Structure formats: structure tokens, C-alpha cells
Amino acid sequence: MTSDEPDDADRDRGGDEDASATDVSGPGATDVVSDPADQLLVLPDDLRSELKEPLGPIETDADALLEDVGEPLIAVGDVVTYHLLEADCRPDVALVDERTERETVDEEIRDTVTEGTSLEAVNPPAEITEDVVWALCEALERMEPTTILVDGEEDLVVLPAIVAAPLGASVVYGQPGEGMVHVRVTEEVREEVRDLLDRFDGDRERFWTLLE
């Protein structure tokens, strides 16, 4: 998994006070959760290369991957979510940002993965915000499949997703140029990811309070 430094436009989006996490599941429903500037964690430079290594096995075929997934199934990324949907599998939780490798996805992928969006959250590149942690936890509590549309970048949400998901769950995300990484949530994987998150800069105490 990878993440790049936010540019000025990314920082501007992160400071837009009207773009907080919103429940859009019903007409006119607006549930302002937090100021999107409520940054919790920031990716330090010395972790960037380490996070490029996949956290699980890589699959290139969605049908083969689905033979071994647990419940719930959490998909992080537009292309991964699209391939799962094309294989007639709607993830229990999907996080998308209408981009892949920092480029806008094509219209077919965008329309497919954002259909039925029920939560929105702000999460600038190289950060994990209160906004997106709240949306993730809310989605995991729901009984129906939930799509979270992220304004910014969803890459790093793989990490809190692994910690927050129940044992036996599957978290799937894209590995650029290689395929889909499948992480089955175990105590060992959780501890590995917790150690990574504890090396982030920011308000780690508040992050763990919100997540757990």
C-alpha cells in the first residue's frame, strides 16, 4: 500500500468545513460528525517504503479471491471494489475516492462503485482523520452493505479497517501494478498493523479511543 504527500489542493480540501462526514442514505439527510480538519494521524516519511509491501497474498482474479474471503468483506479502493462488484459480490464495506494511483478513474468505474453511496468522509492524502474513522466504524455497525465516498484519499484506511474488523474478516485493497491484496484478519495481523499505526505522527491516543 502506498500514499503520497498531499499537494496544496489536497490540503485545501482537507480544510473545507462543509465537507464533513455525511449520512446521505435518505433524502436531505445530513449528519455532521466532525470538523474535517480533525486530523488524527499523519504518515511519517520513514514508514512510506515499509507500507509499500503487501500485507497479505496478492490475487489477480476476483473469483479466485472470493473463494477464500471471510465476513465481513471490506474493500478499499475503486478498482478493487469494481472488480468485486463485477464478480457479483457487493462488499459489506467499500471505501472509494474516484481515483486510482492518484488519477481519476474512468466513468464506468466511478458510476459503478459510487452507486448507493451512503456515507461520505474527508481524508486528505497521507492522513487518517476523525471523519473517516467515524465513517468506517459506522459502516461496520450497519446490517446492510455500505459505501463510503472519501474526499481525498482512502489508501491508509486499510490499516484502521484491519484493526476494527472482527477476527476472520477480509480486507481487500489494490497493490499498484500487481493485483488485489487479501488480508484475513487474525490476532497476529492486527498486532502487526497496530504496531505500524503506533509509529504514525499525531494524536494516537484519540485515534485509539475512537477506533476501539
Side-chain angles (χ1 to χ4, degrees):
M1 54 183 298
T2 62
S3 182
D4 298 314
E5 285 285 0
D7 55 24
D8 291 339
D10 292 323
R11 292 191 180 93
D12 290 343
R13 285 199 300 273
D16 182 353
E17 293 185 354
D18 293 329
S20 53
T22 304
D23 187 331
V24 294
S25 55
T30 302
D31 185 7
V32 176
V33 178
S34 65
D35 183 337
D38 281 345
Q39 175 192 88
L40 291 177
L41 300 181
V42 179
L43 177 65
D45 289 340
D46 61 0
L47 261 183
R48 290 177 181 274
S49 60
E50 194 168 337
L51 289 182
K52 290 179 180 179
E53 296 299 318
L55 294 168
I58 297 175
E59 287 281 359
T60 57
D61 181 78
D63 290 319
L65 183 150
L66 289 169
E67 291 177 0
D68 190 40
V69 295
E71 294 183 353
L73 170 60
I74 303 166
V76 181
D78 295 64
V79 175
V80 165
T81 300
Y82 177 77
H83 285 310
L84 294 175
L85 291 170
E86 287 293 288
D88 293 323
C89 174
R90 178 168 291 278
D92 297 287
V93 179
L95 293 106
V96 299
D97 61 8
E98 301 183 336
R99 302 178 73 81
T100 181
E101 298 186 46
R102 309 212 77 183
E103 299 293 332
T104 303
V105 295
D106 66 41
E107 186 175 351
E108 179 186 353
I109 292 177
R110 183 196 66 205
D111 291 346
T112 300
V113 302
T114 59
E115 183 179 3
T117 294
S118 52
L119 290 172
E120 296 180 359
V122 173
N123 194 69
E127 296 182 17
I128 299 174
T129 63
E130 181 173 336
D131 222 23
V132 82
V133 170
W134 177 88
L136 172 65
C137 293
E138 170 70 13
L140 285 168
E141 291 290 327
R142 295 187 173 191
M143 300 301 293
E144 69 277 355
T146 300
T147 298
I148 303 168
L149 178 59
V150 176
D151 179 3
E153 198 167 274
E154 88 290 83
D155 297 22
L156 290 178
V157 189
V158 167
L159 300 177
I162 291 170
V163 175
L167 292 175
S170 287
V171 179
V172 181
Y173 67 94
Q175 185 76 2
E178 296 187 55
M180 297 172 285
V181 180
H182 177 202
V183 182
R184 180 63 71 91
V185 178
T186 64
E187 289 287 7
E188 182 180 1
V189 171
R190 268 189 188 164
E191 285 306 309
E192 177 185 350
V193 171
R194 287 181 67 93
D195 289 344
L196 289 171
L197 287 165
D198 277 335
R199 292 164 60 191
F200 275 60
D201 297 326
D203 191 345
R204 291 187 295 274
E205 182 177 354
R206 177 156 178 74
F207 169 77
W208 289 119
T209 298
L210 289 170
L211 194 63
E212 299 177 336

